Amino acid sequence: MDAQRFKVSANVGSAGRLTIDLSALRANYLRLCATVAPARAAAVVKANAYGLDVARVAPVLDAAGCRDFFVAQYGEALELKPHVSAEARIYVLNGLLPGFEGDCATRGIVPVLNSLEQVENWNELAKARGQKLPALLQFDTGMSRLGLSMAEAVLLAQQPSLLDGVDVRYIMSHLASADEAESPQNAAQAAAMREFAELFPDHQLCFANSGGIFLGSDLHGALVRPGIALYGGRPTDVIDTPMQPVVSLDVPVVQTRTVPAGTLVGYSGAYVAKEERRLATLSVGYADGLPRSLSDRGAVYCDGVRLPIVGRVSMDSLIVDISDLPAGRLKLGDHVEVIGPHQSLEDLAADAGTISYEILTSLGRRFQRRYR
Ligand SMILES: *Cc1c(COP(=O)(O)O)cnc(C)c1O
């Protein structure tokens, strides 16, 4: 059945099947556009489009009308460029390391300037070339990660020569707590952003990430920067996710067994069967991005039945208790659900004590990837 609907890209055999629904990705992008209009939505495609393959993801977003793409590192911008329209704008969130300015300017890639040093390097290059060069200016509104301080922003506002070679496309900042709607940090950062904006009244704002988009239009600015919401993650805790799931993961059974009470299971015998149990060993482990913190905590699903992970997650396998399924239901080569209708990406991340972002960007290279 699969050959028609899916393009098989890699690994077959005992690997799990990672399905990436590109039509859901497109729907999520259009949904975000509608939510923020008249502001526009960019797409954050850093870290290989959150692990989903930028070469597959970016053309879909481009075809849906996205013309603004954010990556974190300059090398990612080079990787992205062939996969988007010629007129698409590519921004580098971390800005440039010294020595890459000339190449970046020649290729028309737009750096985010986060420090006075990055401003100076870009401005000098512009003057040396006798042209204005595009950039975004980032301000630190309270995350203490990237961006200019208020004192530095005041300096730039008072000495226009420091920026006279720079075509500032947007002023931007990033929210530290947008996934927690009730956090007072959101309002504090919005207030700080307004102060920065007063220093640069002629410039448009680029502010909200996925979470910020759902916290109200005062956080939007003119251009929003969603990442995780595009890929089906939950943007913030106030709402049930309005995004369509993009990723599903099924993994195969490689062995089943029945064990008597007292049997030690997995590394270090960390789990001991209290009574007779039926177990299945699955061909997936921490090398595939299922964190070891799921040991004795997470679960997979079959026919909607929860199958708890027992004992330690190994590198290439893990063991689940299948006693709640009818005997004989699972056999060699059958697949069970790790991410899908019964267990969302967020559920899995919560069991692992992490966030959906880390799960997505860790999903391994051994899976058979299918793009729908
Ligand atoms: C990663 C990132 C985003 C996207 O954040 P999501 O929470 O995935 O929407 C936006 N802006 C900046 C500066 C980022 O680093």
Side-chain angles (χ1 to χ4, degrees), residues 146 170 351:
L146 287 168
Y170 295 95
D351 278 345

Side-chain angles (χ1 to χ4, degrees), residues 301-337:
Y301 285 80
C302 174
D303 299 339
V305 175
R306 185 175 190 275
L307 310 176
I309 295 173
V310 290
R312 300 267 162 87
V313 174
S314 302
M315 184 186 290
D316 316 295
S317 60
L318 56 79
I319 301 162
V320 294
D321 187 328
I322 59 170
S323 308
D324 288 344
L325 285 174
R329 168 63 185 86
L330 281 178
K331 50 188 192 318
L332 177 66
D334 287 344
H335 283 73
V336 297
E337 169 192 333

Side-chain angles (χ1 to χ4, degrees), residues 338-355:
V338 179
I339 300 170
H342 301 94
Q343 174 158 272
S344 70
L345 181 60
E346 308 295 334
D347 296 335
L348 182 70
D351 278 345
T354 184
I355 54 176

Side-chain angles (χ1 to χ4, degrees), residues 263-274 277 279 290-300 306-314 317-321 343 348 350-353:
T263 303
L264 306 185
V265 177
Y267 278 120
S268 305
Y271 176 85
V272 183
K274 288 195 192 63
R277 304 307 288 171
L279 305 178
L290 290 198
R292 199 161 169 274
S293 56
L294 287 169
S295 299
D296 270 325
R297 281 179 65 188
V300 303
R306 185 175 190 275
L307 310 176
I309 295 173
V310 290
R312 300 267 162 87
V313 174
S314 302
S317 60
L318 56 79
I319 301 162
V320 294
D321 187 328
Q343 174 158 272
L348 182 70
D351 278 345

Side-chain angles (χ1 to χ4, degrees), residues 44 46 50 93 145 172 174 209-210 225-228 357:
V44 179
K46 62 193 181 187
Y50 288 45
L93 289 166
R145 185 177 72 169
M172 69 165 271
H174 187 48
N209 65 338
S210 299
R225 302 186 308 272
I228 195 74
Y357 302 68

